């Protein structure tokens, strides 16, 4: 982590029954992510890496530039919020990952870990 850079990530997952089709092994989840910049400098979120572990044991790695088509710059004390989706083959799973960010003052890249969070459909133990 770059000195003086403090970034926190909060994730709120939600099962989407209206988009899911359990009879087709299709379980759709949305997740709303809030990236808080608690550092002294602006940061830019450049890339994402997610590891999605499904209840079946299947593991999927998702990598890409930015999030939801953006590479947002987040000023000190500000946050960026977005919502995305994950489609699983069963009613439970776990996501975790990291963002690659750049401190705009020094142009130094750094990684921001995203703690594991559970995706659970209806009638699943939380």
């Amino acid at each position: 982590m770059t000195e003086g850079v403090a970034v926190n990530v909060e994730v709120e997952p939600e099962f989407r029954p209206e988009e899911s089709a359990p009879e087709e092994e299709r379980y759709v989840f949305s997740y709303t992510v809030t990236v808080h910049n608690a550092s002294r400098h602006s940061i830019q979120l450049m890339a994402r890496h997610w590891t999605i572990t499904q209840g079946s044991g299947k593991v999927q790695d998702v990598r890409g530039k930015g999030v939801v088509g953006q590479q947002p710059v987040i000023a000190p004390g500000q946050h960026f919020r977005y919502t995305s989706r994950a489609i699983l083959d069963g009613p439970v799973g776990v996501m975790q990952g990291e963002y690659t960010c750049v401190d705009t003052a020094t142009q130094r890249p750094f990684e921001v870990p995203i703690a594991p969070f559970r995706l659970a459909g209806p009638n699943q133990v939380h």
Side-chain angles (χ1 to χ4, degrees):
M1 186 175 237
T2 302
E3 186 177 324
V5 176
V7 179
N8 303 307
V9 178
E10 295 175 14
V11 183
E12 300 169 32
E14 182 181 343
F15 177 62
R16 310 290 297 184
E18 68 281 1
E19 298 175 44
S20 297
E23 66 281 359
E24 298 172 15
E25 297 183 338
R26 176 184 162 90
Y27 295 82
V28 180
F29 296 86
S30 66
Y31 53 94
T32 299
V33 180
T34 306
V35 182
H36 299 273
N37 180 4
S39 64
R40 297 178 307 222
H41 302 136
S42 291
I43 63 163
Q44 185 169 16
L45 196 161
M46 302 302 291
R48 70 189 181 283
H49 171 222
W50 290 108
T51 299
I52 305 167
T53 304
Q54 305 204 32
S56 64
K58 179 179 164 186
V59 178
Q60 179 182 7
D61 271 327
V62 178
R63 296 178 184 272
K65 288 185 176 183
V67 291
V68 294
Q70 300 179 54
Q71 290 181 314
V73 174
I74 309 167
Q78 299 296 307
H79 69 273
F80 178 78
R81 179 176 287 137
Y82 72 94
T83 300
S84 192
R85 287 181 163 49
I87 300 172
L88 305 185
D89 60 13
V92 295
V94 175
M95 286 181 67
Q96 64 185 15
E98 65 264 344
Y99 293 134
T100 300
C101 296
V102 171
D103 179 325
T104 61
T106 64
Q107 293 303 304
R108 287 190 188 152
F110 62 96
E111 301 294 316
V112 176
I114 305 164
F117 60 95
R118 186 173 166 88
L119 304 171
N123 304 316
Q124 302 300 312
V125 177
H126 286 70

